[in-house]
Amino acid sequence: MDGRDLVRSVSVVGSGGAARGLRTVRAAWRRRRIDAAGLPPRGPERARVPGRVRGVEPGPGGGLIRFDRSELRIVVAVNGAVFWGWDGAGPQPSYALAGSGPEPDPRAVLEPDKDGGWRVVAERVTVVVSRYGAVQVCTPGGVTLRRDLPPRWWEPVGGGAARWMQRSEVAADARFFGLGGRARGPRLRDGGYRLWNTGPGRPFGPGDDPLHLTMPVQLVVADAGTHLVFHDTTWDGTVALREGEEGAGSGHDRAGRCEVRMDGGPLRCWVMVGTPARVLLTWASLTGAPALPPAWALGHHHARGGDEQDVRRTVAGHVEHGLPLDAVHLGAGHQDDHRVFTVDQDRFPKLPVLAEELRRDGIRLVSVVAPAVRSAPGDAVYEGGTAVDAFVRDARGRTVRGVGWAGESVFPDFTDARVRAWWGGLYAERLGQGFGGFWHDMDEPTSFSAFGESTLPRSARHVLEGRGGDHREAHNVYALCMARAAYDGLGELAPGERPFLLSRSGWAGSQRYGGAWSGDVATGWPGLRASLSLVLGLGLCGVPYAGPDVGGHGDGLSPELYLRWLQLGAYLPLFRTQAGARAGRGEPWEFGAEVLEHARAALLERRRLLPYFLTLAQLARRTGAPYVRPLWWGSPEDRALRDCEDAFLLGDGLLVAPVLEAGTGRRAVLLPRGRWYDTATEEVHEGPARILVEAPLSRIPVFARAGAVLPVRGADGGLELEVWAPAPGRTGGGLVVPDPGDGWEQAEIERYVARRQGDRVVVTREGESGVAAPPCPVRVRGLG
């Protein structure tokens, strides 16, 4: 902590009062002293590269290749994923993988290659290793997708964690996506990206990096094919990207480049190749299927500060103005002095009664939960955690303290299975209060003393599933382990209901336990654009259920910005508005009659599309495909679509073009190939094309793919099929997964086919028992 950090800490916490500011500065200095004493000094280092090949040892799925100063194990799995690890690194232990990982592919063969190298040949991929340790991933036809140069390590002469660097090359036309939730993007431009989960300490925008949920997962899209690469180490690091440049026919292309630098951890990597859908399916099979949110969680959420009467007024306002509402989120203000797993009885004297009344009206209460536990005698959670030795300690065995919402706090070690079981049991108190879901905040972990760093010292000790280690390795998976504790605990406490869980932070595999929310995105048009970037990026990293706070956090929320943000949010997986935060206002009726009318239309459209969102959630669990997809999802070879960042696909059937700039009454929309209908006017457009369409304040442009069969909510509240007419001579179709309820029952996938017969469209349900008529009403659009 230098002088600049000290000034920043005082300025940021000054509004919180002198006492908090003093605690903040004291905690920051204490963290620095602990690290100075607990971390080994970085002394002389010895650089190392693999050297030349000395021998091989074939094995299942590939084999072991020995070099002068290192060894490389390559395994192709039965699902087509390629693993390689240097210096004895294997797939396990890993926080990212679900289970022990896939079995090796017995058909993959290790065989000699030219110039003294070796290669592993499999059905979907060929991996070529040069005699000096470069690793090249190729399609079965021999086209190179990625070439990793020989790695380099810097090992402390006196022992300890080695730093390492891996440089890679991709095609000149390739585009980079992923790396978790990034405000820049979704296409990642040239520059450096840090891999360290961070609470910025202020509302953030497109220029801020890193953010709450980083992960070393890149999706690379090129003419030759798509591949995903995952460097499975949880240590702090950076990824430097530089897009390539084609030689305009001269043949002198400049390859795209990626440089990964890590402060420690194993050098191991997974690569998946194929279409975007196949890549995400393989990724989900590796890291786990996304958790399925309960049906109500796909509706409209609203975060509200204040007390019980404020909540009742908010709910009554939605009812009065005909606005759908499915959940109300309560922040830390509902807790007793901001202490976790407590209730402020003055502000919420009858919280269980309120929760039950709301539930009868179809509205769930959602509680914020942070990992910080106030370290004060008499605090039940603190005393319980102390009794089971749950809290993180420093290298000298002393409990580490930081500053949280409730003041000086301690932090559970969620990398210990015993602590996770204890923490998961604490959610019984929340369930007893009537809460139906939970959102984790400040779980990077960060606090008012961190400001870009962890609230825990890097030298703090963690169990790490029995291996032992420090916070340098545990930081990025702290929130993932907290989510696991809650998910497992809720599964035992309420076994008949699917848990609803959001996390601000996380890591690869977080989708197994729930979704993600953006954190405090800044109010403003750049923040609106960053919201879309975050959701698209997380979806391509395997976290399909995500969304921002509509309106952001900060001043300057104009009626136009609020409405455009609301219209975008209505088509995102997590649809959460908020009020009572720094945005100042957040209920639609506070912005005037015109905004209220248009906001009602957006909210009702979300309610109408709920069956479609339910289907997308079910399909995401089965296939790993995100609800929200970039326009190139079905045509990654289309370079124009790869560069489009201001529109997205919602499933296979809809294309959404939000308005992301002020004063816009019309906007250009890039359409993929095929026939598309404007859902407002039913006007037909043929793609690929760039068109100019009207975007009045009342709506944003939305297009339906010709032939799409969309499950929607009918006027009577029942299921209805909305069918968009196929082009003449073509057929269409769609998948529908009826809502099985909020339990664990597996729903059956229904397949529908739409056929054009003259001037009419015939829709049939097709399955193993043959062809049948749809069991629900059908409404055909696009024929007129």
Side-chain angles (χ1 to χ4, degrees), residues 137 144-149 167-176 218-225 227 229 241-246 253-259:
V137 179
T144 299
L145 296 177
R146 183 181 194 88
R147 182 172 183 264
D148 284 11
L149 303 178
R167 289 193 174 116
S168 309
E169 296 178 348
V170 297
D173 65 278
R175 297 290 182 260
F176 298 101
Q218 299 173 47
L219 194 70
V220 185
V221 186
D223 288 353
H227 73 273
V229 58
L241 301 176
R242 183 182 179 187
E243 291 182 348
E245 184 176 341
E246 294 182 294
D253 292 351
R254 176 172 59 81
R257 299 184 184 276
C258 168
E259 181 180 282

Side-chain angles (χ1 to χ4, degrees), residues 50-56 62-67 70-76 82-86 109-121 126-138 146-151:
R52 292 189 58 161
V53 170
R54 290 303 179 192
V56 300
L64 183 68
I65 304 175
R66 293 189 175 88
F67 297 83
S70 189
E71 63 181 30
L72 171 67
R73 180 173 298 279
I74 295 183
V75 178
V76 179
V82 179
F83 170 83
W84 68 75
W86 289 92
V109 177
L110 176 66
E111 59 186 32
D113 195 48
K114 60 185 180 181
D115 299 328
W118 292 82
R119 64 181 181 181
V120 178
V121 180
T126 298
V127 184
V128 180
V129 182
S130 77
R131 59 181 172 176
Y132 290 106
V135 181
Q136 193 166 301
V137 179
C138 306
R146 183 181 194 88
R147 182 172 183 264
D148 284 11
L149 303 178

Side-chain angles (χ1 to χ4, degrees), residues 532 536 629-631 644-649 655-658 667 669:
L532 178 57
L536 280 166
R629 307 164 187 177
L631 291 191
C644 180
E645 301 177 282
D646 62 356
F648 60 90
L649 299 174
L655 187 156
V656 181
R667 58 153 294 173
V669 179

Side-chain angles (χ1 to χ4, degrees), residues 445-464:
T446 191
S447 73
F448 300 107
S449 66
F451 305 111
E453 289 298 317
S454 172
T455 191
L456 298 175
R458 291 180 172 236
S459 60
R461 306 301 298 172
H462 289 269
V463 172
L464 288 166

Side-chain angles (χ1 to χ4, degrees), residues 13 15 42 99 107 122 124 169 184 212 254 320 334 343 389 414 427 434 445 502 514 621 645 687 735 742:
V13 303
S15 61
R42 179 68 70 175
R107 301 168 296 176
R124 300 178 192 166
E169 296 178 348
R184 281 188 287 172
H212 312 282
R254 176 172 59 81
E320 176 186 351
H334 82 278
V343 174
D389 191 21
F414 294 116
Y427 287 79
L502 294 175
R621 180 162 182 81
E645 301 177 282
L735 303 176
D742 292 337

Side-chain angles (χ1 to χ4, degrees), residues 587-743:
E587 275 88 14
W589 53 88
E590 296 175 339
F591 293 91
E594 183 183 12
V595 170
L596 174 61
E597 178 186 356
H598 300 330
R600 182 185 299 112
L603 290 167
L604 290 175
E605 178 64 4
R606 175 58 174 241
R607 175 60 59 89
R608 193 181 74 90
L609 289 175
L610 269 181
Y612 187 47
F613 276 94
L614 286 165
T615 292
L616 294 178
Q618 292 278 354
L619 295 179
R621 180 162 182 81
R622 289 165 166 84
T623 68
Y627 312 18
V628 170
R629 307 164 187 177
L631 291 191
W632 49 259
W633 178 260
S635 304
E637 72 284 352
D638 189 325
R639 296 188 179 188
L641 296 181
R642 292 208 295 260
D643 293 340
C644 180
E645 301 177 282
D646 62 356
F648 60 90
L649 299 174
L650 182 60
D652 289 329
L654 295 178
L655 187 156
V656 181
V659 174
L660 304 175
E661 296 178 353
T664 301
R666 58 172 53 188
R667 58 153 294 173
V669 179
L670 189 63
L671 296 177
R673 66 173 177 261
R675 171 172 288 193
W676 297 87
Y677 295 96
D678 186 319
T679 58
T681 65
E682 300 193 14
E683 184 179 355
V684 179
H685 302 276
E686 297 289 343
R690 180 179 293 274
I691 62 174
L692 188 64
V693 297
E694 297 297 320
L697 197 60
S698 60
R699 60 180 175 86
I700 57 176
V702 178
F703 300 85
R705 190 189 301 271
V709 177
L710 307 178
V712 299
R713 180 172 175 159
D716 61 353
L719 180 66
E720 180 179 289
L721 297 183
E722 181 174 272
V723 180
W724 289 89
R730 306 296 297 270
T731 62
L735 303 176
V736 177
V737 184
D739 178 17
D742 292 337

